[in-house]
Amino acid sequence: MEIVAFGVQADEQPFLERAFAGRHQVRSLNVFLNRDTAPIARGYEIVSSSVNADLGADVLQTLAAGGTKMIAQRSTGFNNIDLEAAADLGMSVGRVAHYSPYAVAEFAWALALAVDRRLVRATNRTRNFDFRLDGLMGRDLRGRTAGVLGTGKIGTAFTRIAHGFGMNLLGWDLTENPHCVELGMKYVARERLFAEADLVTLHLPLVDDTRHLVDAAALAAMKDDAILINTSRGGLVDTAALVDTLKAGRLTGVGLDVYEEEAAFFFFDKSLDIISDDTLARLMTFGNVLVTSHQAYFTQDAVGQIIEATVANVEDYLAHRTNENMLVTRGQLPKAAP
């Protein structure tokens, strides 16, 4: 079986090819799957996609017409896939339900510490042999309050680190996680978390109920000197409202590994282009904002686990088996659809 994989990063390709070696041939492409590139997949029964692929109904129809019967997405999130359209087309769709939560949690902390201690500004200065400390003062995190929205595996890993820093812990989720409660987390209403937390971090999936969870009202409720971190999905934050908040001189720092309209920019070299996205361009002008390109998951450990799960999804599809990663199995949505 020959598989075509879209959106393969250079550092990811060796993992992918080694994992499939002796099983199937993999054609690795660095272009992302969308309506323009979907015709490339003609003749491939199995297509592997990345997190920023566009798998709307029209793209799925093109793939199905070309003979594709299985989508193996190399990510946890699947808000980019029209599952009902896939089911109607008789396709199978798999994702990666779990991989190292520490990769994302540790990166979220890297962002938090970087903006708190002004590391980017400091590094830019010292490269020019400017060793002044003006404007670089941060704050101790010990004794301050971390607000964690979403306390699944990644949120729990973040909480354990916050506990190690000696922080007070507030949480918000549909259900309480006993592991977080054992660490001293107090679950509160979302409004209270925004109002009391010195550090707000997001670890939630992007669904209709969580889109723009951090909106103008939530931002207005936050402390003027709070830190906001998002390593989950860009759509959780109303970026236009965030820009207005920053323009008003509020928030000590913001660390974003994701952005609402990232598909047009992230994973590409846009250094020679005119950036037409005014919101992103304005966001990048703030000295207290650190934006990275959806790399929180990008460790050897996590990528290895993602590839292993993708291989298992392909093998189970070929053997007519199902597993916890399968969102659609040969045109059938699970009884409790995600």
Side-chain angles (χ1 to χ4, degrees), residues 96-167:
V96 179
H98 308 291
Y99 60 85
S100 170
Y102 310 108
V104 179
E106 290 171 6
F107 192 85
W109 269 107
L111 290 177
L113 292 171
V115 297
D116 178 47
R117 302 305 298 269
R118 314 293 196 270
L119 293 187
V120 175
R121 182 181 298 172
T123 301
N124 289 338
R125 282 187 185 179
T126 56
R127 286 186 183 278
N128 292 317
F129 297 94
D130 179 352
F131 298 103
R132 293 172 298 158
L133 297 181
D134 300 352
L136 300 183
M137 184 175 286
R139 297 180 300 176
D140 287 5
L141 293 174
R142 180 177 179 80
R144 289 190 162 83
T145 299
V148 184
L149 292 106
T151 55
K153 287 182 169 58
I154 296 173
T156 300
F158 185 96
T159 299
R160 291 189 185 281
I161 298 171
H163 180 262
F165 271 104
M167 300 188 75

